[in-house]
Amino acid sequence: MHTLIGTKLGMTQLLGEDGVVTPITVIQAGPCTVTQVKTVASDGYSAVQMGYGLGKNLSNAVSGHVKEAGITPKVLKEVRMESDPEEKVGDKFTVDMFELGDEVDVTGTSKGKGWAGTIKRHNFHRQRKTHGGKGDTRKVGSIGSMYPQRIFKGHPMAGQMGGEQTTVKNLKVAYIDVDKNIIGVKGAVPGPKKGIVVIGEAKHFNHHGKETK
């Protein structure tokens, strides 16, 4: 299993020996502790649940759930497995599971931008200002016709922008500090500073949409 929970610290740069500057996102990743192991026999599917961070004011239910692992996590995350896992409750994972050059997928909650119109949210063009323009050049144009006399689901319109789970794929690991549990990935990852992110081994798919090894 190659998955870690972490906190986004921010962005910086790496200066290579060849003089090339690489933008990276620095993430405080792990250590993550296994709090529960699920198997097909007991739960109907295989998964490992991990805890990360230092939580406060945990409910009695959560405190009892993580008592065996001996931690008080801020975040609990479940990772699906293809087969019954070999990990045990109490096992810990750190950034040393990754190596420089590994490709990873990073998942987080994107920055919330409030209510946004179609130009900002969906990159629509504005309407013309002259020659019959309706005045408000940023409003939505036609969203339907006489048939079928309704708006299809998923039609791009104004609405809440951001604040959604987002995954950036195939980012390369460019920096690792095992002592400080810090990992740096090339490029940007979702969310604000201090946001919780999940770093996992990159998944590649073929043109049929099926995952490849």
Side-chain angles (χ1 to χ4, degrees):
M1 185 184 71
H2 286 72
T3 303
L4 280 179
I5 309 171
T7 303
K8 178 180 175 180
L9 300 181
M11 293 196 70
T12 185
Q13 297 174 335
L14 285 180
L15 180 61
E17 296 180 356
D18 54 358
V20 176
V21 176
T22 302
I24 66 169
T25 300
V26 182
I27 301 171
Q28 181 85 48
C32 297
T33 306
V34 176
T35 56
Q36 185 180 10
V37 176
K38 296 187 176 182
T39 63
V40 175
S42 61
D43 301 278
Y45 64 98
S46 301
V48 171
Q49 185 187 80
M50 299 186 300
Y52 165 76
L54 182 61
K56 297 180 180 179
N57 301 323
L58 300 183
S59 66
N60 291 335
V62 175
S63 298
H65 177 68
V66 300
K67 183 178 181 180
E68 185 179 354
I71 61 172
T72 54
K74 179 180 180 180
V75 180
L76 289 175
K77 171 70 177 178
E78 184 175 286
V79 181
R80 289 289 187 106
M81 309 287 287
E82 294 182 356
S83 58
D84 287 350
E86 299 179 357
E87 290 78 11
K88 298 179 180 179
V89 174
D91 289 351
K92 293 185 180 296
F93 301 103
T94 59
V95 295
D96 59 4
M97 68 169 56
F98 295 105
E99 297 180 357
L100 295 177
D102 286 351
E103 289 189 348
V104 295
D105 295 341
V106 182
T107 301
T109 302
S110 62
K111 293 181 180 179
K113 301 181 184 299
W115 187 273
T118 54
I119 292 180
K120 181 176 180 180
R121 192 180 185 210
H122 299 292
N123 201 29
F124 277 21
H125 288 286
R126 63 167 176 79
Q127 297 186 37
R128 58 189 179 187
K129 294 184 177 181
T130 59
H131 299 288
K134 299 296 181 66
D136 186 358
T137 61
R138 296 181 64 91
K139 69 179 183 182
V140 182
S142 174
I143 58 175
S145 60
M146 295 181 64
Y147 178 84
Q149 297 183 349
R150 64 185 177 86
I151 302 173
F152 289 110
K153 288 184 178 181
H155 195 287
M157 298 181 70
Q160 174 67 34
M161 184 177 179
E164 300 176 333
Q165 179 174 295
T166 307
T167 300
V168 180
K169 296 181 176 293
N170 304 330
L171 299 177
K172 287 190 175 182
V173 177
Y175 176 81
I176 294 177
D177 189 332
V178 178
D179 295 332
K180 297 181 180 179
N181 292 313
I182 288 178
I183 185 171
V185 296
K186 183 179 179 180
V189 303
K193 294 180 181 179
K194 299 183 180 181
I196 299 297
V197 296
V198 178
I199 309 169
E201 187 177 8
K203 296 180 180 179
H204 298 279
F205 299 88
N206 58 22
H207 62 280
H208 296 294
K210 295 183 179 180
E211 184 177 352
T212 58
K213 301 297 183 180

